[in-house]
């Protein structure tokens, strides 16, 4: 694809053309591309104007653009403009950014939202290369999931190249007042100027992460690895756009304690970006592998005792997810069925945590060295290609289990992949560092000394233990000891504010209001708004807060919270 677009930050639209170079091996008479709320101005095939048509809208999917082609057709060019309901795009006014000075745009194309900002084959099983020419206001910098500039130019015109084939959900664009600082020769950080120093300090270990990942599973194949820390409205933790991870500013805790998120997005450079789930039914092949890989990177860099805490928390997240969905729900299977459904229905904690624990089980049974060798061969054998669940299981059997039926049955492979709930042989890790937290929680409120050198994960575990015995009085004691209402760590703050709502601990309300004004990550927003809606007092609070801050949230976050705050 060659993309030639202009970004209008004031009027909030993208307009231009997408030119697809095709090879019609099957002698098809029609090229079908995905669109969602796009205005198609005109279409040509090999320079000749033709009458393309839009099919009727299909729920979740938008409208198929049908372009008549011939056996020898080579170039299909579509002139188009985005609409006001482009679900991938968040347009920010200056007051919605960190620096409060300039307008900003960023995209979030996963799962099927690329079609809302360019006409494309928007499925994970279709990969393509692209070049782009992007025109933006002269005071803005444009970045994509491609080879990127590191500073603004005078023209406002930027050129991009992605020479490795990627699926449409990895198409990404950010436009705004953006600065850059390098970490090492192949890694660096982008952010708004007022955030760049903090972001650069927080992500100081990025270069080491890339080297560590390569030592585990082979060479990094995408050239540079950079990260852009986006304005607060970014709705998720991170997005693994090739060459340029998009991430939330909520990881900037000031102590480098939340950068395992970067290890996760980096790991996608192998599991997901390099070897991609063929359909969203196979999403666990992206996220389960990446969760496993993230914890291996973390263990290599921070030690086994640290990684064990991530494994334990992941298990507890899985337990909660299965409880919420029901242990007989088909959505608790690894390989799910999303035909006729919104692909986002498959984006629960199940593929992440159940998937990674399945791989951990295999490692425990065959040995780490053997499993690592298998994974290196897997990534090499399927690089820049897609994979189905059935294809992976066949590769696993041929290249690791090798027909060992006793091992196959011991692993309960089919129960893990096609069964519901949590299999009976699920690994359970008992972290040494959490056992020390148990003692601290049991001693409360006798202790008067704040824990020394606790990580975010120990704090979260501690608050989880304290939750059943919490009331407003005990929260006041905890707050006096540890100043939790004032924490700048978003993970801890979210759990603390949830407890405050349940216990009607009013001293936390002002800090929670400020938190909801500056954080757009759905992981934090949805539980807080859900908890507020449990009481008449909280419902009034939810309507008031959401009314004031709704515009700060991404369209996808607004969709989710609109269903909560009724």
């Amino acid at each position: 694809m060659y993309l030639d677009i202009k970004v209008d930050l004031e009027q909030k639209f993208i307009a231009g053309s997408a030119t697809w170079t095709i090879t019609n091996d099957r002698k098809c008479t029609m090229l079908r591309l995905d669109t969602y709320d796009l205005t198609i101005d005109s279409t040509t095939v090999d320079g000749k104007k033709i009458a393309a048509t839009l099919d009727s809208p299909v729920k979740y999917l938008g409208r198929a653009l049908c372009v008549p082609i011939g056996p020898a057709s080579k170039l299909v060019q579509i002139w188009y403009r985005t609409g006001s309901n482009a679900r991938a795009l968040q347009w920010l006014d200056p007051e919605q950014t960190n620096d409060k000075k300039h307008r900003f745009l960023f995209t979030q194309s996963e799962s099927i939202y690329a079609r809302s900002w360019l006409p494309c084959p928007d499925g994970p099983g279709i990969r393509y290369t692209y070049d782009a020419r992007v025109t933006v206001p002269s005071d803005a910098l444009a970045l994509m999931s491609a080879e990127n500039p590191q500073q603004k130019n005078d023209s406002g015109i930027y050129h991009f190249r992605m020479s490795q084939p990627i699926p449409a959900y990895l198409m990404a664009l950010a436009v705004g007042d953006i600065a850059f600082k390098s970490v090492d020769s192949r890694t660096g950080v982008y952010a708004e100027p007022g955030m760049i120093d903090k972001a650069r300090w927080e992500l100081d270990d990025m270069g080491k992460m890339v080297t560590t990942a390569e030592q585990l599973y082979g060479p990094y194949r995408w050239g540079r690895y950079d990260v852009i820390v986006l304005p607060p409205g970014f709705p998720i933790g991170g997005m693994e756009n090739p060459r340029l991870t998009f991430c939330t500013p909520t990881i900037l805790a000031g102590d480098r304690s939340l950068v395992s998120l970067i290890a996760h997005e980096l790991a996608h450079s192998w599991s997901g970006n390099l070897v991609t789930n063929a359909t969203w039914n196979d999403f666990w092949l992206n996220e389960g592998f990446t969760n496993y890989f993230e914890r291996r990177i973390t263990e290599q860099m921070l030690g086994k005792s640290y990684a064990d805490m991530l494994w334990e928390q992941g298990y507890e997240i899985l337990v909660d997810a299965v409880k919420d969905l029901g242990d007989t729900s088909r959505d608790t299977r690894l390989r799910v069925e999303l035909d006729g459904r919104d692909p986002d229905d498959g984006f629960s904690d199940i593929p992440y945590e159940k998937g990674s624990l399945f791989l951990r089980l295999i490692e425990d049974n065959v040995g780490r060295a053997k499993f690592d060798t298998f994974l290196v061969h897997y990534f090499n054998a399927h690089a820049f290609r897609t994979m189905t669940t059935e294809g992976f299981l066949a590769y696993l059997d041929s290249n690791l289990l090798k027909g060992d039926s006793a091992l196959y049955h011991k692993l309960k492979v089919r129960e893990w992949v096609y069964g519901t709930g949590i299999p009976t042989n699920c690994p359970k890790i008992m972290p040494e560092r959490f056992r020390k937290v148990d003692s601290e929680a049991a001693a409360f409120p006798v202790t008067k000394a704040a824990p020394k050198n606790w990580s975010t994960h120990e704090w979260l575990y501690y608050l989880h233990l304290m939750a059943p015995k919490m009331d407003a009085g005990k929260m006041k004691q905890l707050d006096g000891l540890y100043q939790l209402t004032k924490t700048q760590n978003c993970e801890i703050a979210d759990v603390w504010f949830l407890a405050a709502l349940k216990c009607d601990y009013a001293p936390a309300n002002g800090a929670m209001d400020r938190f909801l004004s500056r954080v757009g990550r759905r992981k934090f927003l949805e539980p807080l708004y859900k908890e507020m809606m449990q009481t008449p007092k909280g419902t009034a609070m939810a309507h008031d807060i959401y009314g004031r801050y709704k515009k700060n949230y991404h369209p996808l976050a607004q969709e989710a919270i609109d269903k909560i705050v009724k």
Side-chain angles (χ1 to χ4, degrees), residues 237-264:
M239 183 60 210
E240 63 272 18
N241 303 309
R243 299 178 182 262
L244 185 65
T245 283
F246 281 22
C247 85
T248 170
T250 63
I251 69 167
L252 305 183
D255 60 2
R256 297 174 179 155
S257 63
L258 299 179
V259 296
S260 61
L261 181 142
I262 300 301
H264 182 94

Side-chain angles (χ1 to χ4, degrees), residues 276-349:
T276 306
N277 48 220
T279 76
W280 295 119
N281 295 331
D282 309 297
F283 186 49
W284 78 277
L285 294 177
N286 276 22
E287 296 298 351
F289 277 69
T290 298
N291 248 23
Y292 174 84
F293 194 179
E294 168 204 336
R295 288 165 190 170
R296 292 294 307 280
I297 294 171
T298 302
E299 178 179 333
Q300 197 85 349
M301 295 186 69
L302 298 176
K304 185 177 183 298
S305 68
Y306 194 98
D308 281 351
M309 293 190 293
L310 301 182
W311 280 112
E312 170 64 15
Q313 286 180 322
Y315 176 81
E316 295 301 332
I317 289 170
L318 176 61
V319 169
D320 288 343
V322 171
K323 182 179 178 181
D324 288 344
L325 291 167
D327 60 9
T328 61
S329 168
R330 295 172 71 85
D331 284 347
T332 63
R333 304 187 314 173
L334 285 181
R335 206 278 184 186
V336 294
E337 295 174 353
L338 295 169
D339 289 354
R341 301 169 62 189
D342 186 338
D344 282 3
D345 288 350
F347 283 40
S348 71
D349 289 315

Side-chain angles (χ1 to χ4, degrees), residues 157-189:
I157 299 173
Y158 296 91
H159 297 271
F160 302 91
R161 173 177 288 270
M162 170 50 74
S163 55
Q164 295 101 331
I166 64 169
Y169 79 87
L170 295 176
M171 289 294 299
L173 173 67
V175 179
D177 185 20
I178 302 168
F180 173 82
K181 286 202 169 183
S182 63
V183 172
D184 63 13
S185 61
R186 61 173 173 171
T187 64
V189 181

